[in-house]
Amino acid sequence: MNPTLALARELIARPSVTPDDAGCQDLIVERLRPLGFEFEFLRLNGVTNLWARRGKAAPLVCFAGHTDVVPTGPLERWSSDPFVPTERDGKLYGRGAADMKTSIAAFVTAVEAFVAAHPDHRGSIALLITSDEEGVATDGTVKVVETLKARGETIDFCIVGEPTSGERLGDMIKNGRRGSLSGTLRVHGVQGHIAYPHLARNPIHEALPALTELAAIEWCKGNEDFPPTSFQISNIHAGTGANNVIPGTLEVLFNFRFSTECTAEGLKRRVHEVLDRHGLRYELEWALSGNPFLTPRATLVNAVSEAIREVTGLTPEISTSGGTSDGRFIAAVCPQVIEFGPVNQSIHKIDEHVAIADIEPLHRIYLRTLEKLIG
C-alpha cells in the first residue's frame, strides 16, 4: 500500500473528535523519531499540542496542522463507519480524510523521503500539530506560538495543510486570510403588555434603525488581495415566547470578516459610534478570533506554486478567500505562511472523503517544496 495512504488510514481510524487527539500525535512521533527529530508536548485543558523539530539552523520550514476532527453527525447517515477508513469508488472515506489527516500523513511521508534523500540538508524542519483547531482554538496552535515567541524562536516558512483545493488538487493556494471579529449586542428596553406600548420600551423597534445603518455601511473597499470587509448579522433573539409581551431585551450576534484595510479597534469604534448616536441602552461584548494576515508572493508562494505545476500541471490560484485557520496565529512568528491541501468539497460533511488518486501527488508536492526551500 502507498505509504501516505496507509498512514492516512491509521490516523482516520483514531476517533479524535475535538479536542481529543486519540493517539494521533504519538503515531507521528513514532514515525519521526528515527529521523532525529526532537519533540515537545504542550497539553492544556484536554488539548494535545506537538512541536517537533529536526535541526537548529535557519531557514526553518514548518508543516502545521490539526489532528482533531469535527463530530460525525448522525452515524446512520454515513455509508460506512466514519472511523473505519474505507476505500470505494476511488475515494478514501472517513471523518478527517480531507480535513486534515491526509495532509498530515503527506507531511510525514514527505519528510521521511526528504531526509532519506538529503540527510545533511541545510536549515531545519518542524511540525506543529494541535488537537484544538476545530474547537474554540484557545489552547492549541496559539499556545504553541506564544511559547515559541517567548523564547525568541521564529519560523521562516510555514505550510498549513488545510484543504484549499476547490475542484482539483492544486487549483488553489491560500496566502492569507481575513480577520474575524464577532460581537454580542444586548439592547435593553422595558418589558410590558403589547396592548400598552406607552408603558413599555421595545428594544427591537429601537435597535432596527441602528442595525439597518450598520448593515448598509461600506466598511472598506478591500484591495487587490482581499474583498471588502463584510458585516453580517447571524442571529437575532428577543421575546418571552408569548405574542402579547413586548420584550425587555434584544440580543444580536454579528461578525466582521475584515481585510487589511481595517483594524479590529477601528471597527469597534465605528459600531459604538452608531449605537451611541441612536441613543440605545446596550451592552456589547467583543471576541477577536484573529487578525488578517497576508504572505507576499515571494519565496514560499513561488516554491509551492512551482511544485504544484511540476506534479499536477496546474497553475494554482493565489487566494485569501474562505474562513479563518491557524495560519492567523502562526503569522505572529512567521513572515511567510501559506495553506495548501486536498479538495475541500466534502469537509465537515457526512461521508467526508479524499480522492485516492490525489494522495500520492499531495505527498510529492510537499516533498518538492522541501527540496526547493532547503534541499
Side-chain angles (χ1 to χ4, degrees), residues 80 149 173 198 204 208 253 325 370:
S80 54
K149 197 171 184 179
I173 293 171
H198 60 288
I204 301 175
L208 283 176
L253 307 183
S325 79
L370 278 172

Side-chain angles (χ1 to χ4, degrees), residues 191-205:
Q191 182 175 314
H193 196 292
I194 206 162
Y196 301 94
H198 60 288
L199 300 178
R201 184 173 176 176
N202 194 321
I204 301 175
H205 294 182

Side-chain angles (χ1 to χ4, degrees), residues 166-224:
E167 301 290 334
R168 298 173 58 190
L169 177 70
D171 62 9
M172 183 175 290
I173 293 171
K174 307 285 188 180
N175 71 322
R177 296 279 190 164
R178 294 174 295 174
S180 178
L181 175 66
S182 295
T184 300
L185 170 66
R186 296 180 184 87
V187 179
H188 299 293
V190 177
Q191 182 175 314
H193 196 292
I194 206 162
Y196 301 94
H198 60 288
L199 300 178
R201 184 173 176 176
N202 194 321
I204 301 175
H205 294 182
E206 293 187 351
L208 283 176
L211 295 177
T212 300
E213 181 175 340
L214 290 171
I217 290 175
E218 182 180 71
W219 301 91
C220 80
K221 295 180 180 294
N223 53 39
E224 63 178 350

Side-chain angles (χ1 to χ4, degrees), residues 290-362:
N291 285 304
F293 74 93
L294 181 68
T295 292
R297 303 188 185 201
T299 305
L300 181 58
V301 171
N302 293 339
V304 177
S305 298
E306 290 170 8
I308 290 171
R309 280 193 292 271
E310 292 169 4
V311 173
T312 70
L314 297 177
T315 297
E317 178 185 353
I318 312 301
S319 173
T320 62
S321 62
T324 59
S325 79
D326 279 358
R328 68 192 189 274
F329 303 129
I330 299 167
V333 292
C334 181
Q336 296 191 48
V337 180
I338 67 98
E339 300 168 30
F340 172 68
V343 173
N344 59 26
Q345 293 182 1
S346 69
I347 61 174
H348 294 204
K349 293 183 178 180
I350 302 294
D351 284 347
E352 180 181 351
H353 61 269
V354 64
I356 294 173
D358 287 347
I359 293 176
E360 178 61 17
L362 180 63

Side-chain angles (χ1 to χ4, degrees), residues 97-349:
D99 189 14
M100 55 179 290
K101 290 184 175 181
T102 298
S103 292
I104 291 176
F107 291 165
V108 173
T109 59
V111 169
E112 289 174 331
F114 178 77
V115 172
H118 308 277
D120 299 317
H121 63 81
R122 66 190 185 91
S124 305
I125 305 171
L127 275 76
L128 194 171
I129 309 294
T130 184
S131 69
D132 184 37
E133 197 273 348
E134 298 290 10
V136 293
T138 55
D139 293 305
T141 297
V142 64
K143 295 299 185 183
V144 179
V145 168
E146 288 173 2
T147 300
L148 297 177
K149 197 171 184 179
R151 65 193 189 202
E153 194 167 353
T154 58
I155 300 168
D156 296 284
F157 308 111
C158 184
I159 302 166
V160 184
E162 288 292 340
T164 60
S165 301
E167 301 290 334
R168 298 173 58 190
L169 177 70
D171 62 9
M172 183 175 290
I173 293 171
K174 307 285 188 180
N175 71 322
R177 296 279 190 164
R178 294 174 295 174
S180 178
L181 175 66
S182 295
T184 300
L185 170 66
R186 296 180 184 87
V187 179
H188 299 293
V190 177
Q191 182 175 314
H193 196 292
I194 206 162
Y196 301 94
H198 60 288
L199 300 178
R201 184 173 176 176
N202 194 321
I204 301 175
H205 294 182
E206 293 187 351
L208 283 176
L211 295 177
T212 300
E213 181 175 340
L214 290 171
I217 290 175
E218 182 180 71
W219 301 91
C220 80
K221 295 180 180 294
N223 53 39
E224 63 178 350
D225 296 299
F226 289 96
T229 292
S230 169
F231 169 85
Q232 294 294 323
I233 295 172
S234 59
N235 190 280
I236 294 180
H237 176 75
T240 64
N243 66 359
N244 61 351
V245 179
I246 293 172
T249 303
L250 168 69
E251 182 175 85
V252 181
L253 307 183
F254 63 87
N255 177 266
F256 286 100
R257 294 301 167 103
F258 63 101
S259 77
T260 49
E261 298 295 312
C262 292
T263 66
E265 291 307 313
L267 293 172
K268 291 178 185 179
R269 183 176 60 254
R270 292 180 69 184
V271 170
H272 282 286
E273 287 173 354
V274 172
L275 299 177
D276 292 342
R277 179 159 35 79
H278 283 269
L280 300 182
R281 295 184 295 176
Y282 69 92
E283 300 167 1
L284 180 50
E285 298 173 4
W286 294 100
L288 177 65
S289 298
N291 285 304
F293 74 93
L294 181 68
T295 292
R297 303 188 185 201
T299 305
L300 181 58
V301 171
N302 293 339
V304 177
S305 298
E306 290 170 8
I308 290 171
R309 280 193 292 271
E310 292 169 4
V311 173
T312 70
L314 297 177
T315 297
E317 178 185 353
I318 312 301
S319 173
T320 62
S321 62
T324 59
S325 79
D326 279 358
R328 68 192 189 274
F329 303 129
I330 299 167
V333 292
C334 181
Q336 296 191 48
V337 180
I338 67 98
E339 300 168 30
F340 172 68
V343 173
N344 59 26
Q345 293 182 1
S346 69
I347 61 174
H348 294 204
K349 293 183 178 180

Side-chain angles (χ1 to χ4, degrees), residues 7-144:
L7 181 54
R9 289 176 59 97
E10 287 190 77
L11 291 168
I12 292 168
R14 288 162 167 77
S16 54
V17 177
T18 189
D20 188 5
D21 172 68
C24 291
Q25 293 177 31
D26 289 334
L27 179 58
I28 295 168
V29 169
E30 180 183 317
R31 295 288 291 259
L32 296 181
R33 192 181 301 280
L35 306 182
F37 276 79
E38 296 180 353
F39 306 99
E40 299 176 56
F41 281 101
L42 180 62
R43 295 182 172 92
L44 298 163
N45 299 318
V47 172
T48 305
N49 301 298
L50 171 65
W51 174 249
R53 179 166 179 163
R54 183 184 197 270
K56 303 292 185 185
L60 172 59
V61 181
C62 177
F63 291 106
H66 59 91
T67 51
D68 61 319
V69 298
V70 295
T72 62
L75 291 174
E76 66 275 11
R77 292 182 56 196
W78 283 75
S79 301
S80 54
D81 189 315
F83 296 114
V84 175
T86 304
E87 297 176 40
R88 64 178 182 273
D89 302 324
K91 300 179 178 68
L92 174 64
Y93 286 85
R95 177 57 86 219
D99 189 14
M100 55 179 290
K101 290 184 175 181
T102 298
S103 292
I104 291 176
F107 291 165
V108 173
T109 59
V111 169
E112 289 174 331
F114 178 77
V115 172
H118 308 277
D120 299 317
H121 63 81
R122 66 190 185 91
S124 305
I125 305 171
L127 275 76
L128 194 171
I129 309 294
T130 184
S131 69
D132 184 37
E133 197 273 348
E134 298 290 10
V136 293
T138 55
D139 293 305
T141 297
V142 64
K143 295 299 185 183
V144 179

